[in-house]
């Protein structure tokens, strides 16, 4: 392979990695919004520590489910 081909593949790989990162971020945001909405949580009461505590509780529940499925 010549340098130009490698550069093109590298550019495609970077673009794909950016798309993956954007999709992960979108999923994380949607999950957070759904948890807040479903639990009727008030945004004004969600400090970073409360968010971490809530995430830990959810993780504990999920980790106790068989095959990590609901």
């Amino acid at each position: 392979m010549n340098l130009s081909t490698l550069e093109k593949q590298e550019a495609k790989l970077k673009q794909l990695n950016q798309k993956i990162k954007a999709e992960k971020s979108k999923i994380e945001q949607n999950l957070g919004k759904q948890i807040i909405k479903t639990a009727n949580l008030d945004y004004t009461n969600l400090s970073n520590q409360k968010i971490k505590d809530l995430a830990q509780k959810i993780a504990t529940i999920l980790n106790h489910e068989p095959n990590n499925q609901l």
Side-chain angles (χ1 to χ4, degrees), residues 20-49:
I20 291 169
K21 186 176 180 180
E23 189 62 27
K24 284 181 180 181
S25 178
K26 183 178 167 183
I27 291 168
E28 290 170 356
Q29 288 177 357
N30 288 337
L31 177 61
K33 287 179 184 178
Q34 285 301 313
I35 290 169
I36 291 167
K37 180 180 174 183
T38 303
N40 293 319
L41 299 174
D42 184 0
Y43 283 95
T44 59
N45 294 328
L46 290 177
S47 66
N48 283 339
Q49 187 58 49

Side-chain angles (χ1 to χ4, degrees), residues 1 10 26 32 36 51-52 65 68 70:
M1 277 190 233
E10 186 178 68
K26 183 178 167 183
I36 291 167
I51 292 170
K52 288 179 184 179
E65 291 292 323
N68 205 10
L70 293 175

